[in-house]
Amino acid sequence: MQIISVKDYQALSLQAARLIGAQVRLNPDTVLGLATGSTPVGTYKELIRMCAEEDLDFSNVTTVNLDEYYGLAPDHEQSYRYFMNQNLFDHINIDKEFTYVPDGLSKDLEASCADYDDLIEFLGGTDIQLLGIGHDGHIGFNEPDDVFTAGTHLVDLTPDTIEANARFFKSADEVPHQAITMGMKGIMSASTILILASGKAKASIIRKMVEGPVDPQVPASILQLHPDVVLIADEDALSELMAL
Ligand code: PGA
């Protein structure tokens, strides 16, 4: 794992956007795996600026998102489809037909999860998969568990995740208790994985991800098995690493 230590969130966002921007310039047909949450918002802002001011061209880019709340419609303000439109897709020259987010309203979950995995396979995996990390170590919504789950699947969100995400809703009662998430096979099929972490609150889980054993109770620890992972993190998020 390559670790890029930066001063703060602003620097993290610039670095991540530069890496993604370089990939898109070198390969205009890039397949990007994208993430929601607070952490990638600054990266998306910088990509929007690069599209407007530096002719970064997304017209041939395909995107595949990690997850979606189960039960939320695409136009629900807290859905991840809505988040992606608001924070990125509405502000760049991407063809939205080629932006994929799991279907939160699927009536046939088994079929739609299998379709999502087929889509990722058809695309040949993502070129870059962007990830945040939950305080409990989740990536996408792959929560701590006894096993790593390979395929796209429905998950019960942990109380920790529901509490962490309540800040985006009017109250914790409104946070859906389930979500559809890309599984570990989809995530690990990326050529490069770019994981971002900012702030002291992530320091302990970053230490477990990087220096702890590979353990499904720390889902992000599986990244130790991927040959090309770049962790961009600020000094606070890296503050508990022994090896730095
Ligand atoms: P955050 O969430 O970026 O809002 O901290 C990360 C995650 O839950 O994956």
Side-chain angles (χ1 to χ4, degrees), residues 36-40 132-134 138 140 167-168 202:
T36 52
S38 316
T39 311
I133 182 169
H138 70 218
R167 68 190 195 276
F168 300 112
K202 297 284 171 73

Side-chain angles (χ1 to χ4, degrees), residues 127-221:
D127 292 301
I128 293 187
Q129 174 67 61
L130 185 62
L131 295 176
I133 182 169
H135 298 110
D136 62 1
H138 70 218
I139 47 177
F141 269 135
N142 292 279
E143 297 281 33
D145 202 347
D146 294 338
V147 290
F148 292 114
T149 302
T152 299
H153 60 287
L154 185 72
V155 283
D156 294 327
L157 301 179
T158 60
D160 186 60
T161 299
I162 291 169
E163 193 189 313
N165 289 8
R167 68 190 195 276
F168 300 112
F169 291 79
K170 287 198 193 87
S171 77
D173 298 342
E174 288 184 21
V175 184
H177 286 198
Q178 290 182 305
I180 300 162
T181 185
M182 192 189 286
M184 292 306 194
K185 189 172 173 203
I187 292 173
M188 296 290 275
S189 71
S191 302
T192 299
I193 292 177
L194 178 56
I195 181 161
L196 310 179
S198 172
K200 273 251 187 289
K202 297 284 171 73
S204 152
I205 195 66
I206 286 295
R207 180 176 53 75
K208 288 184 190 155
M209 173 185 88
V210 177
E211 296 177 345
V214 176
D215 177 352
Q217 294 296 344
V218 182
S221 64

